[in-house]
């Protein structure tokens, strides 16, 4: 279970410091998929970065735990080894590092941190081939540098590829639908759905309801001004789509 | 005694006195005298000399005692390749050389053009004999050179002549061992000749190294040079290249990695002395706290001879830690009007977004830094061909010990 309680966080330094999260509380039980929706600037991406430990964000109050383990005191790599995975809204280009090298290094680093044996090269390649097939990824692409020269859709599919390879305990998907056409969206959603499991949780951050037609959430939360202002079932996403954020926000205040 | 010699002796450093004594002990030779004077005009170059302001040999070369550095291993060594060995105690070559290679060892000193421009090259020439290698083989020739061994001063000179249409692959390991070493390596590429030169430099923290190369290229000749330098107390790898006939091409790539207490200087000077010649230059560096990287590159494109020059120069340095230092001076002197010349020069820290991406996937900070740094320098090592993997291995060992 991912448990966030009364979490507050700021970004920036000195005069430019800005509070983005204002006492956010949220729980995602293991095995469930929750969606977070909200207008621009609500703090959606900040939440994903604070959970994964990106520099530049300061937690000023509250807690975040994954299966009882305090996430906020750990380095980003330690959080990853404990099973938290962020699918980036804007996947990062890493010139000079081939995808396969990158993912294998990451996988073995996580295994080492958990005290597990490294994956053998043949096992890794077999697994990579299977997953690439599911995601309709060209195997040649996996020999190229990470995200360099990839289209928006390819980058998002590569995020899902990494997720399926690394098999995290908890996934945060930050606007995975942005920049995807309908076919790519379907492929990506299939990959994500394949990872739904009783021992795995998921937080899907999105702007639009569309993605939730493909990845059906157990619960939908509305994030505005740095806190969860409303929680409901999948029907809440449809209401937001029909009425816009203004209606729901007005009601909540 | 000449004026220059008297000048240097007016206020000499201890090391300069020892160099003069070493010179005085050698056989009298008019060419030796001229070369030593070319050195004496500057003495050991240092901060006051514009071309040396960031690489201060004068203060770095202190007493010339043999350092007690364990010999570095040679990643470029490979079986089956004829190896020429230079050490303070002498020169050794295998008796069997590849077909079409003629090697002559000469006790006397050979003349050298532009000696005043390269004081430490002139010094190397004045204090050593000359090994001459003529390549006239039809098939590509592979040679390896090792510069290493204990001693106070190590001076060495070797000159290659590549006959038209020949191809030489030469690897050089400059592994130190002497308090001060100066090597001069000359290449003359006749029409259509091809040279692939790979240099691995790794000196001790108490050693000072100067590696000077003079390259002259005739019509349609082509050279590819790849350097991996780890520096020394102070080290400089200087390459002066002249395109002297049409259609000559040169690639000058280098990567330097300077740790605490190490100083790596990459200096180049390319003269486009004939029309329609091409130069591609890429230097990538990474420096830790207490390390220092220096890049100086100059393209000289004269008004008439330099037309249709196509040249580009890139230097990109990573300052991996607070306290790392990089000094760079890219210089384009273009007097011709029908040319394509470009240059770029950057220095900065690793990209925080990239670092976070790697760490979010579980790669620890130190390893993530190493991966990104290795990727940063990788492009500069691509031209090393058969030696690329060995160079990359050395680089990654340094980055993530």
């Amino acid at each position: 279970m991912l448990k966030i309680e009364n979490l507050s966080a700021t970004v920036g330094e000195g005069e430019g410091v800005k509070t983005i999260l204002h006492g956010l509380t949220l729980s995602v039980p293991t095995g469930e998929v929750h969606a977070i929706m909200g207008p621009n600037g609500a703090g959606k991406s900040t939440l994903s970065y604070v959970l994964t430990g990106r520099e530049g964000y300061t937690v000023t109050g509250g807690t975040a735990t994954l299966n009882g383990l305090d996430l906020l005191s750990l380095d980003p790599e330690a959080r990853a080894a404990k099973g938290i995975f962020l699918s980036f809204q804007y996947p990062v280009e890493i010139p000079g590092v081939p995808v396969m090298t990158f993912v294998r290094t990451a996988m073995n680093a996580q295994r080492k941190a958990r005290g597990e044996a490294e994956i053998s090269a043949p096992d890794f390649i077999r697994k990579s081939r299977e997953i690439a097939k599911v995601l309709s990824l060209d195997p040649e692409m996996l020999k190229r540098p990470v995200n360099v020269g990839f289209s928006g859709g390819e980058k998002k599919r590569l995020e899902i590829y990494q997720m399926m390879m690394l098999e995290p305990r908890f996934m945060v998907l930050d606007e995975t639908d942005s920049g995807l056409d309908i076919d790519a969206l379907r492929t990506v959603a299939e990959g994500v759905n394949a990872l739904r499991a009783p021992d795995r949780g998921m937080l899907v951050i999105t702007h639009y309801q569309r993605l939730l037609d493909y990845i059906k959430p157990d619960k939908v939360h509305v994030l505005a001004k740095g806190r969860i202002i409303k929680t409901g079932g999948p029907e809440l996403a449809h209401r937001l789509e029909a009425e816009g954020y203004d209606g729901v926000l007005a009601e909540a205040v | 005694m000449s004026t220059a010699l008297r000048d240097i002796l007016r206020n000499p450093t201890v090391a300069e006195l020892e160099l003069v004594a070493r010179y005085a002990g050698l056989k009298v030779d008019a060419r030796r005298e001229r070369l030593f004077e070319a050195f004496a005009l500057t003495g050991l170059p240092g901060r006051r000399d514009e071309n040396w302001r960031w690489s201060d040999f004068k203060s770095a070369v202190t007493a010339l005692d043999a350092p007690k550095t364990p010999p570095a291993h040679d990643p470029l060594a490979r079986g089956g390749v004829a190896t020429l060995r230079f050490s303070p105690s002498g020169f050794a070559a295998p008796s069997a050389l590849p077909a079409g290679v003629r090697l002559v060892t000469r006790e006397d000193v050979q003349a050298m053009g532009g000696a005043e421009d390269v004081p430490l090259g002139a010094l190397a020439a004045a204090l050593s004999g000359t090994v001459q290698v003529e390549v006239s083989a039809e098939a590509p020739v592979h040679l390896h050179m090792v510069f290493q061994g204990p001693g106070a001063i190590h001076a060495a000179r070797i000159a290659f002549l590549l006959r038209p249409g020949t191809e030489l692959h030469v690897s050089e390991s400059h592994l130190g061992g002497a308090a001060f070493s100066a090597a001069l390596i000359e290449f003359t590429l006749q029409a259509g000749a091809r040279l692939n030169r790979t240099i691995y430099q790794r000196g001790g923290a108490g050693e000072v190294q100067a590696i000077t190369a003079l390259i002259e290229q005739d019509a349609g000749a082509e050279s590819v040079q790849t350097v991996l330098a780890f520096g020394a107390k102070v080290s400089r790898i200087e390459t002066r290249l002249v395109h002297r006939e049409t259609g000559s091409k040169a690639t000058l790539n280098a990567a330097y990695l300077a740790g605490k207490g190490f100083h790596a200087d990459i200096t180049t000077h390319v003269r486009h002395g004939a029309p329609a010649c091409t130069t591609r230059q890429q230097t990538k560096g990474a420096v830790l706290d207490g390390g220092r990287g220096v890049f100086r590159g100059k393209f000289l494109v004269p008004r008439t001879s330099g037309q249709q020059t196509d040249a580009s120069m890139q230097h990109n340095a990573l300052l991996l830690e607070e306290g790392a230092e990089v000094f760079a001076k890219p210089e384009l002197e273009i007097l011709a009007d029908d040319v394509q010349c470009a240059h770029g020069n950057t220095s900065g820290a690793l990209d925080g977004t990239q670092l976070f991406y790697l760490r979010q996937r579980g790669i620890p900070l130190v390893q993530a830094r190493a991966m990104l740094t290795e990727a940063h320098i990788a492009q500069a090592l691509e031209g090393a061909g058969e030696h690329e993997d060995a160079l990359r291995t050395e680089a990654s060992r340094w980055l993530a010990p």
Side-chain angles (χ1 to χ4, degrees), chain A residues 31 36 104-105 126 146 190 207 220 231-232 234 236 245 248:
Chain A
I36 287 194
R104 199 165 157 224
T105 307
R126 200 172 307 123
V146 179
E190 276 168 17
H207 213 68
V220 174
T231 295
L236 179 56
Y245 286 107
V248 179

Side-chain angles (χ1 to χ4, degrees), chain B residues 224-263:
Chain B
V224 176
Q225 174 170 305
T226 309
V227 177
L228 176 61
F230 289 91
K233 182 183 182 186
V234 172
S235 80
R236 170 135 153 173
I237 298 176
E238 176 160 357
T239 308
R240 294 179 77 89
L241 188 143
V242 182
H243 295 289
R244 59 183 189 192
E245 286 179 10
T246 309
S248 153
K249 285 185 183 152
T251 303
L252 290 170
N253 290 342
Y256 60 83
L257 299 169
K260 194 177 181 66
F262 284 80
H263 175 125

Side-chain angles (χ1 to χ4, degrees), chain A residues 55-56 76 89 96 98 112 154 156 163-164 168 175 178 186 196 202 206 209 227 230-231 236:
Chain A
E55 274 182 28
Q89 182 180 1
K112 193 176 166 196
E154 285 172 333
K156 291 299 172 76
M163 200 154 80
M164 294 174 84
E175 309 240 355
S178 69
R186 200 171 286 136
R196 292 181 89 134
M202 218 182 285
T206 183
Q209 188 269 334
R227 65 172 78 91
K230 200 168 180 66
T231 295
L236 179 56

Side-chain angles (χ1 to χ4, degrees), chain B residues 305-327:
Chain B
S305 62
Q307 298 295 0
Q308 288 114 47
T309 284
D310 178 359
S312 68
M313 181 194 292
Q314 278 291 331
H315 170 249
N316 311 101
L318 283 176
L319 302 147
L320 293 176
E321 297 173 339
E322 294 262 335
E325 286 186 308
V326 169
F327 298 88

